[in-house]
Amino acid sequence: MENDLNGKIILVTGSSRGIGKSAALMLAKAGARIIVHYSRNSKAADEVLQQLGEQALFAVKADLGNAEEIRAMVESIIHQTGRIDVLVNNAAVHANMRPLENSFETWFDEWNRIVTANLSGTACLSFLVSKAMLKTGGGRIINISSRGAFRGEPEAWAYGASKGGLNSLGQSMAKALAPENIFVFTIAPGLVSTDMSEDNLTGPQGDEIRNQSPFGRVARPEEVGKIVVFFAGEAPEFMTGCIVDINGASYLRT
Ligand code: NAP
């Protein structure tokens, strides 16, 4: 596996923290050169660049809720590197929307914020990067979805819907782009120990959440990172369009 991804240029969105950071470090260990993306936390992004050492390219900033920032980011990357071999669509926002308590206005603002970033922003980025991949002979796109897309998210309707939409986007793109040598893979984790899940895991329902899995714990970021590395390199092209669960048997689909 070492040096599997030698020289590949990989953009990992949301790699300043959490799963994205873990995936970036593991991809780098396998030989890839990494572009670190963040939204606000430039200090954390710089720290990841340091940790990546020689495999670091540079950091880029863009709010996935802003299509123009996304376009400018892709143009800047292509200007600097000429190509993106693998795109890892990892960045996302989560919020409990308290749908039964909130006013329509509050609920709708949250809906727009989350769906715009998680689904529209990821779609814009995938569109722009796949156009660039067409010019360089192909590539791979890896989407980080969520168990919530299948299981339902009673407190986070927009998040669940955005991930359901992402699953569908990945399937559509897989069909459209396979003839162009671009392959699309989706990973659907259950809870993972990161900043995003911290409130839930440290709150009163923490034990109940951990015990949804027979392991009595949630996933570690590196466990998701391992699958990202597989899809970035070794995974057969014929897997394109797949959605792979990693949830410690907490929610099993048939
Ligand atoms: P996290 O720790 O909250 O980190 C989020 C990352 O996304 C950060 O790098 C952040 O950048 C970036 N980001 C946040 N809002 C953004 C925006 N509007 N535009 C651009 N970038 C933005 O998240 P995580 O837990 O690692 O989650 C990574 C992925 O796994 C997400 O797609 C999430 O939905 C999925 N997932 C997570 C869990 C879980 O339990 N953690 C479960 C299932 C699926 P800054 O550092 O600059 O803020």
Side-chain angles (χ1 to χ4, degrees):
M1 280 284 283
E2 204 85 308
N3 293 336
D4 208 10
L5 299 174
N6 230 343
K8 296 275 184 210
I9 295 179
I10 304 190
L11 168 62
V12 185
T13 69
S15 43
S16 47
R17 295 186 277 127
I19 295 169
K21 174 180 176 178
S22 236
L25 294 171
M26 293 170 81
L27 289 163
K29 207 167 169 223
R33 302 182 69 205
I34 308 295
I35 302 164
V36 174
H37 160 267
Y38 67 101
S39 152
R40 281 185 288 204
N41 203 336
S42 63
K43 190 163 173 278
D46 284 343
E47 282 167 14
V48 176
L49 283 178
Q50 295 278 328
Q51 288 180 46
L52 288 166
E54 286 182 355
Q55 302 308 116
L57 281 168
F58 45 83
V60 286
K61 172 180 176 2
D63 179 355
L64 281 185
N66 184 322
E68 277 315 311
E69 284 187 24
I70 296 168
R71 188 208 292 260
M73 174 179 78
V74 175
E75 282 174 3
S76 155
I77 294 171
I78 298 302
H79 180 72
Q80 293 178 75
T81 64
R83 61 189 302 122
I84 296 170
D85 296 303
V86 179
L87 165 65
V88 183
N89 279 318
N90 165 78
V93 284
H94 178 277
N96 287 333
M97 299 165 75
R98 297 200 308 267
L100 303 182
E101 297 159 43
N102 270 324
S103 67
F104 173 71
E105 288 76 14
T106 307
W107 175 84
F108 192 52
D109 282 351
E110 275 298 82
W111 174 273
N112 274 334
R113 183 177 74 84
I114 292 165
V115 173
T116 303
N118 293 4
L119 183 56
S120 304
T122 302
C124 289
L125 181 58
S126 302
F127 175 90
L128 292 163
V129 171
S130 57
K131 289 279 188 190
M133 286 173 171
L134 285 176
K135 293 187 187 151
T136 55
R140 290 178 173 222
I141 298 175
I142 302 163
N143 293 327
I144 309 297
S145 178
S146 171
R147 175 185 67 176
F150 306 107
R151 192 187 62 152
E153 288 281 357
E155 291 296 327
W157 297 0
Y159 179 80
S162 71
K163 295 299 188 177
L166 181 62
N167 290 349
S168 173
L169 173 72
Q171 290 171 330
S172 299
M173 290 185 73
K175 279 192 176 264
L177 299 175
E180 309 298 339
N181 206 32
I182 298 172
F183 307 106
V184 187
F185 311 94
T186 299
I187 302 170
L191 252 74
V192 185
S193 52
T194 69
D195 295 345
M196 186 179 279
S197 58
E198 195 182 355
D199 284 352
N200 283 330
L201 293 174
T202 54
Q205 74 282 45
D207 283 340
E208 187 272 316
I209 292 171
R210 279 180 282 276
N211 288 329
Q212 288 169 2
S213 162
F215 290 83
R217 66 170 177 88
V218 299
R220 303 179 187 106
E222 314 82 73
E223 290 172 317
V224 183
K226 218 170 191 174
I227 310 174
V228 174
V229 173
F230 174 64
F231 282 144
E234 253 193 339
E237 296 168 352
F238 215 66
M239 284 188 81
T240 197
C242 71
I243 303 173
V244 168
D245 294 329
I246 168 159
N247 63 36
S250 63
Y251 184 77
L252 297 175
R253 298 185 285 138
T254 52

